[in-house]
Amino acid sequence: MSLRVARKSISDVASVKLQREELWTESKLRNLIHAKLGDKVLFVVSNREPYMHVLDEATGAVHCIRPASGVVTAIHPILCACGGTWIAHGGGDADRKFVNSKDKLGVPPNDDRYILKRVWLSKQEEDGYYYGFSNEGLWPLCHNTHTRPIFRQEDWEIYKQVNRKFCDSLLEELPATSPFIFIQDYHFTLLGKMIKEKRPDAKVALFWHIPWPTPEAFQICPYQKDILDGMLGCDLIGFHVQNHCNNFLDTANRLLESRVDTEKFSVIRLEKETFVRAYPISVKSHVGAPALERDTSLEMERLRKEFNLQDMVVGVGVDRIDYTKGIVERIHAIDRFFEKYPKYRGKVVFVQLASPSRTHIKRYHDLISEIDELVEKKNWKYMEGSWKPILYLKRHFSADEIAPFYAMADFCIVSSLHDGMNLVAKEYVSEKRDNRGALILSQFTGAARELVDAILINSYSTEEFADSIFQAVEMPVEEQARRMESMRMIVAENNIYRWAANIITDLTALKNV
Ligand code: ADQ
């Protein structure tokens, strides 16, 4: 079966290459969606909401923020382009103040491009479904990072209950005929089947934003059959890369009564067919965008002054604080770099922007302390005068605040131990309008399949990692330009609009079974 799958995926890649035409834009996607969906709106379901209203306890002011989430980064531009309704957990402490009587509001604020419907969860629901089953169970199950998944029966019961709650909230919104529903991620493995039970006419796609493990790894999960069964309620399941699709087909083949069709790339169970495809997710991309869309130069100058970065070689890392992102490994590599190449002490600064996430989970709580301690220790080891090797900025940043850091960075480090795609790599490349800079990218990310002109590393190998930093800071300008130009072209061609267009085209082409 693996051989047949491999042959098919090679021919698919070839045909995708043939189809490349001009760049996809917001308006092109809008036209395609109108052509494919007519006046039907698109429904998106995700755990994380695109806008959160949070109370600043110190000042009493409420801020509307965009959460640090790859799913939000990717899906938001699509709904801005084509409108629709996005159903998500209202997780902000001031969220209830900003919805109407139907729990809805128009977003972006003052622009109203689409509707956000907030679903409210109790503390107990959030604990069981989000922190527990999703992030202590499924998240480590799907990432090869040697963190043990924890499955508790009470979390599973709540997870099912919350999937049902989202289903009910969605069903209230659906129009009379053939709605299109696009579910995001591992928080909603049961939703596809639940929707189809009530609305067999709906077309349902699920996009899985994290890796899919091998059947050996997946069968650790005590609820494996229910999860696969729930997912196979969908008409289409998307993963970032072919390898995750192959793992999924293998898993369904081995763990469930089902038939896998390696020609069509589908799974048939109880006469229901589910198609499985790779859609590498991406960002908007600034290539081809008007040059003056956003000028970051003043902001860069301000940051250089504020943080004493004038005349420094600057590296950047931008992450949610998560053990999958390899932040600890990165700090060890930076340490080794300064040990091995002392001439760079006082000349290179690594800026780490880090947004705390899932802090109620012990593993995340411990990781935050571990990073704090490590940064402090390494800075103490090397600091000379006002120079410190690591500038650690631990907070949430808006996209506009992150952009000048990318633009000014001579190199960017993405060192995930395992990552479905990793959008930070693509954001960095997209922001380097001058074709300068080097990307150090873990070979364990989905992005490494596309961005082959990055310096690819094994994040577990401190020596190799330290040498990659040396290679990045020493890289001649011509080589930077050649590599960066090629990566920018790839991100521009495979931007988020093309990603959405491919999924919508495939979903609308399916006949209901
Ligand atoms: P994540 O693991 O959340 O998502 P990643 O692709 O790393 O996603 O993107 C993180 C996003 O958060 C980026 O847009 C980044 O700019 C932003 N961000 C990071 N640090 C921030 C900070 N300190 N403040 C504010 N914003 C910050 C999952 C999968 C990924 C997959 C995405 C999309 O784990 O593999 O790429 O979904 O499918």
Side-chain angles (χ1 to χ4, degrees), residues 66-74 139 143 185-186 207-211 240 281-283 317-322 324-325 352-356 358 393-399 401-402 406 414 416 418-425 427 446 499:
R66 302 272 311 283
S69 148
V71 174
V72 168
T73 301
W139 177 268
H143 290 90
D185 238 355
Y186 59 101
F207 192 79
W208 193 262
H209 290 262
I210 63 177
H240 291 299
I281 208 164
S282 194
V283 293
V318 180
D319 303 83
R320 267 191 317 104
I321 302 181
D322 194 298
T324 61
K325 303 292 179 187
Q352 176 67 55
L353 313 189
S355 172
R358 305 173 191 170
L393 304 176
K394 189 173 64 174
R395 69 169 172 90
H396 179 271
F397 289 80
S398 71
E401 285 177 308
I402 297 175
Y406 284 141
V414 171
S416 313
H418 202 191
D419 217 330
M421 175 54 67
N422 193 288
L423 293 180
V424 170
E427 285 171 351
W499 179 83

Side-chain angles (χ1 to χ4, degrees), residues 456-474:
L456 295 178
I457 55 158
N458 171 357
S459 318
Y460 289 92
S461 165
T462 309
E463 208 61 25
E464 178 190 328
F465 196 161
D467 287 341
S468 77
I469 301 176
F470 177 72
Q471 189 187 344
V473 297
E474 292 268 315

Side-chain angles (χ1 to χ4, degrees), residues 209-256:
H209 290 262
I210 63 177
W212 186 273
T214 60
E216 290 76 14
F218 186 74
Q219 68 187 354
I220 293 172
C221 177
Y223 315 104
Q224 52 192 278
K225 289 203 166 41
D226 297 282
I227 287 179
L228 289 170
D229 193 42
M231 291 173 74
L232 291 173
C234 299
D235 301 298
L236 177 67
I237 302 178
F239 296 94
H240 291 299
V241 297
Q242 190 57 45
N243 188 246
H244 304 158
C245 297
N246 298 355
N247 282 348
F248 183 79
L249 291 190
D250 262 349
T251 307
N253 197 29
R254 286 217 229 154
L255 304 185
L256 205 65

Side-chain angles (χ1 to χ4, degrees), residues 45-335:
V45 184
S46 76
N47 171 70
R48 184 65 67 217
E49 55 181 337
Y51 287 92
M52 251 173 146
H53 287 95
V54 290
L55 181 70
D56 180 340
E57 278 174 12
T59 63
V62 171
H63 300 289
C64 182
I65 63 160
R66 302 272 311 283
S69 148
V71 174
V72 168
T73 301
I75 305 296
H76 172 68
I78 299 168
L79 282 207
C80 278
C82 62
T85 298
W86 186 332
I87 297 173
H89 169 216
D93 47 12
D95 271 356
R96 284 178 194 263
K97 291 196 183 136
F98 292 84
V99 292
N100 65 15
S101 59
K102 307 256 188 239
D103 300 323
K104 295 183 200 172
L105 70 160
V107 289
N110 307 320
D111 196 8
D112 291 6
R113 303 263 202 115
Y114 62 93
I115 294 166
L116 168 61
K117 182 179 187 194
R118 287 172 168 158
V119 175
W120 312 114
L121 298 180
S122 66
K123 275 258 162 359
Q124 191 207 17
E125 285 174 328
E126 216 180 325
D127 270 344
Y129 137 86
Y130 177 74
Y131 290 107
F133 195 77
S134 298
N135 286 316
E136 287 191 284
L138 291 179
W139 177 268
L141 180 75
C142 292
H143 290 90
N144 300 329
T145 56
H146 316 286
T147 293
R148 185 186 177 138
I150 302 171
F151 292 107
R152 304 178 193 94
Q153 181 65 22
E154 61 270 28
D155 289 349
W156 169 240
E157 294 304 328
I158 296 174
Y159 179 86
K160 287 192 280 189
Q161 184 184 312
V162 171
N163 270 243
R164 173 70 59 202
K165 192 173 204 176
F166 272 81
C167 184
D168 293 343
S169 176
L170 171 73
L171 290 173
E172 279 172 13
E173 304 302 318
L174 298 182
T177 54
S178 325
F180 288 87
I181 299 154
F182 191 16
I183 304 169
Q184 309 303 313
D185 238 355
Y186 59 101
H187 312 88
F188 297 113
T189 55
L190 309 178
L191 193 53
K193 186 177 176 199
M194 288 176 177
I195 296 168
K196 286 285 193 164
E197 278 164 2
K198 301 277 184 202
R199 290 295 302 264
D201 61 319
K203 286 200 170 164
V204 183
L206 164 70
F207 192 79
W208 193 262
H209 290 262
I210 63 177
W212 186 273
T214 60
E216 290 76 14
F218 186 74
Q219 68 187 354
I220 293 172
C221 177
Y223 315 104
Q224 52 192 278
K225 289 203 166 41
D226 297 282
I227 287 179
L228 289 170
D229 193 42
M231 291 173 74
L232 291 173
C234 299
D235 301 298
L236 177 67
I237 302 178
F239 296 94
H240 291 299
V241 297
Q242 190 57 45
N243 188 246
H244 304 158
C245 297
N246 298 355
N247 282 348
F248 183 79
L249 291 190
D250 262 349
T251 307
N253 197 29
R254 286 217 229 154
L255 304 185
L256 205 65
E257 295 252 329
S258 61
R259 189 161 63 79
V260 170
D261 185 325
T262 51
E263 271 310 300
K264 291 203 286 179
F265 253 78
S266 65
V267 183
I268 299 138
R269 170 164 169 80
L270 307 173
E271 295 181 25
K272 160 95 187 92
E273 187 165 23
T274 302
F275 292 84
V276 176
R277 297 276 180 279
Y279 305 97
I281 208 164
S282 194
V283 293
K284 268 160 78 168
S285 155
H286 300 303
V287 179
L292 287 176
E293 187 192 351
R294 195 176 58 230
D295 183 5
T296 49
S297 54
L298 282 178
E299 199 39 25
M300 276 159 60
E301 213 170 292
R302 192 189 65 74
L303 291 174
R304 280 192 187 275
K305 270 201 200 125
E306 180 180 345
F307 295 115
N308 253 338
L309 300 173
Q310 289 114 325
D311 306 323
M312 291 287 162
V313 175
V314 176
V316 75
V318 180
D319 303 83
R320 267 191 317 104
I321 302 181
D322 194 298
Y323 54 85
T324 61
K325 303 292 179 187
I327 302 171
V328 167
E329 288 71 11
R330 192 178 308 175
I331 299 169
H332 285 303
I334 291 166
D335 177 21

